[in-house]
Amino acid sequence: MEIVVLHPQLVMLGFPVGQAYLWHGRDGLTLVDTGVPGSGEQIERVIGELGYRRADLRRVLLTHCHADHVGAAAEVAGWHDVEVVAHHLDAPVIRGEAAVPPPVLSDWEQRLWDQVHSQMPAETPAPVGVDREVGDGDDIDLGGGVHAVCVAAPGHTPGSVAYYLPEPRVLFTGDTIARGHDGTVMLGVFNVDPDRATASLRRQAELDTDIACFGHGQPVIGDAATSLRAAVR
C-alpha cells in the first residue's frame, strides 16, 4: 500500500485498486472511503504509524456505494462506535437493501471495466449500517474547527457525493473525477448517467480547491481548481 502525506493533517492510502484518505486532527480521525474488502488491517496499521489507535477513528465518509470504496466499511465500523456517513440515495445499497446500479459503458470503458475488476477481490462488501444519511449542503463537523460540506455529485452513482473542506480547501471527489497516469484530470469513468456526471464535474470545478483527492489517480496538490476547470474545458 502506498502512503502519501498531502497536508499536515491528511494522508492518502493507495490500494492496488483505488485509494482512501485519512484526516487527522486534535479531536480524532476521519476516514474518507475504505478500499476493497479486507483493507481494514492496512488502515489500522496506518493509523498506528500516525501515532493513533483505531479507537481514535470517529467517522467514515463514503463517497458512493462501489466495492472499492465501501469494501472495508463494515470491518472498520465494527472497531467501536464509528459513525458511517453516506448520501441517502446510495445508503440502501451500502446497507445491502438494494443492488448496485449498473453503469453505462462505452466499448473502451468495457475493456477497462474488465481489467479493473480482474484485480479486485471476489468477496462482496459486507453490508454496513449508515448512521447519517446526508444530502447536498449538509455540514459535517470533523473536529478541531474543521468542517466538511457534502456536495451532491450524481452521475457516477445516483448518490455519489464529494466532500469539501472549505478551511484547508480540500476536495474529496470519490469517482466523480479521476486523474490519468499522464497527470490529466478528467471525468470519472463507469457512470450510470454520463450527462449528470459531467454536470457534477462542472459544479466541483467552481469550488476554491487547493488539494483535490480522487478515488483513482494521484491527487493534485496546489491550486487544484485550475486543473479541475481545465478538465471541464
Side-chain angles (χ1 to χ4, degrees), residues 25 53 167:
R53 304 166 301 156
E167 183 60 32

Side-chain angles (χ1 to χ4, degrees), residues 37-51:
S39 299
E41 183 177 338
Q42 295 171 294
I43 295 170
E44 183 177 5
R45 186 172 69 249
V46 174
I47 287 173
E49 290 174 357
L50 292 173

Side-chain angles (χ1 to χ4, degrees), residues 85-133:
V85 180
H87 191 274
H88 63 87
L89 291 178
D90 272 21
V93 180
I94 294 166
R95 291 194 297 260
E97 300 168 353
V100 178
V104 177
L105 300 176
S106 64
D107 290 342
W108 72 267
E109 281 183 307
Q110 183 65 62
R111 294 190 294 272
L112 181 59
W113 172 274
D114 295 339
Q115 177 186 342
V116 169
H117 281 76
S118 70
Q119 303 172 34
M120 292 180 61
E123 180 184 354
T124 301
V128 61
V130 177
D131 302 295
R132 181 178 176 187
E133 297 185 17

Side-chain angles (χ1 to χ4, degrees), residues 143-163:
V146 177
H147 292 255
V149 179
C150 174
V151 180
H156 183 65
T157 65
S160 284
V161 295
Y163 296 102

Side-chain angles (χ1 to χ4, degrees), residues 14-97:
F15 301 106
V17 177
Q19 47 225 23
Y21 297 89
L22 194 63
W23 177 266
H24 54 104
R26 295 191 308 271
D27 299 335
L29 307 174
T30 297
L31 181 66
V32 181
D33 289 331
T34 68
V36 298
S39 299
E41 183 177 338
Q42 295 171 294
I43 295 170
E44 183 177 5
R45 186 172 69 249
V46 174
I47 287 173
E49 290 174 357
L50 292 173
Y52 295 90
R53 304 166 301 156
R54 68 184 194 180
D56 294 316
L57 183 64
R58 301 288 183 257
R59 64 195 64 80
V60 173
L61 308 183
L62 299 174
T63 61
H64 64 291
C65 62
H66 286 161
D68 53 331
H69 294 260
V70 305
E75 181 181 357
V76 170
W79 288 347
H80 63 99
D81 187 21
V82 176
E83 180 185 40
V84 177
V85 180
H87 191 274
H88 63 87
L89 291 178
D90 272 21
V93 180
I94 294 166
R95 291 194 297 260
E97 300 168 353

